[in-house]
Structures are given as C-alpha cells and as structure tokens.
Amino acid sequence: MAETDWSEQGLCRTADPDALFVEGSAQNRAKALCSGCVVRTECLAYALDQRIEFGVWGGMTERERRALLRRRPTVTSWRRLLETARMEHGRTGAATTAVRQAS
Ligand code: SF4
C-alpha cells in the first residue's frame, strides 16, 4: 500500500477540505468526524511521521500532535507504533489506545 492510499477511505474525502483546518471550538467538530473514520490510525501516523503542523489529522489537533511528539521524541516511526497497537487492540481503538499509552 502506498503511503497515502488510506486517504481514499477517509470520512473527510467528501467534506469541505477547509473543515479540518480550523481553530478553536471548530476543531471539536473536525475531531468528531475523525472519531468514526476507519483510517484514523493511518492518518494520525502519517501526520506524526511527516511532522504536519496544521489541521486536524487522525483526530488530533496540531497542538495535541506537537505535545505528543515532545513527550515521545525517541519514536522513529509512528506508523509502526500505531500499527502494532492496532494489532494488539483492534482497528477502532488503535489510535486512541496508542496515544494514551504514549502519554
Ligand atoms: S482521520 Fe480524520 S482527517 Fe484523517 S482521513 Fe479520517 S476523517 Fe480525514
């Protein structure tokens, strides 16, 4: 699978592209959309590994991702870490579980 093939399955593919690049309380609506997305894990891993600085990706705001990256500076592949978590905890909760463990 190519690095971004997952994006074709994202719930946001038909949403307004700007809806994920919002600030303040509007980010909660964007995060709610991500919570039901089947590629949340892949999306979050991509954003963390690519150090994407703007927007909600995989249910996390840029601020939350920055904090996570600061807390776990030794993680070299978020994709590998989150895929491992998915194998251990199932698809739906992998991103949430991995982030919780990383905290
Ligand atoms: S997790 Fe959110 S930002 Fe990522 S593909 Fe799914 S809906 Fe889009």
Side-chain angles (χ1 to χ4, degrees):
M1 178 186 265
E3 197 174 6
T4 55
D5 281 356
W6 51 264
S7 65
E8 294 297 316
Q9 299 172 57
L11 279 181
C12 60
R13 72 188 180 287
T14 57
D16 175 2
D18 292 335
L20 295 168
F21 297 92
V22 291
E23 295 183 357
S25 62
Q27 288 184 321
N28 290 331
R29 281 194 298 278
K31 289 169 68 170
L33 176 67
C34 296
S35 69
C37 183
V38 297
V39 291
R40 183 177 171 202
T41 300
E42 291 84 348
C43 180
L44 177 58
Y46 182 78
L48 291 166
D49 283 334
Q50 298 302 314
R51 304 296 196 264
I52 295 175
E53 295 184 9
F54 301 102
V56 172
W57 291 69
M60 292 185 82
T61 66
E62 60 269 24
R63 186 175 182 175
E64 292 168 331
R65 291 194 308 275
R66 274 198 304 273
L68 182 56
L69 289 167
R70 274 197 305 271
R71 282 198 301 272
R72 296 293 301 270
T74 59
V75 174
T76 55
S77 172
W78 284 93
R79 184 175 179 166
R80 193 167 46 241
L81 186 146
L82 293 175
E83 284 176 351
T84 301
R86 180 167 55 199
M87 283 189 288
E88 293 173 358
H89 303 284
R91 174 170 279 278
T92 53
T96 304
T97 302
V99 169
R100 205 176 291 136
Q101 288 177 345
S103 303

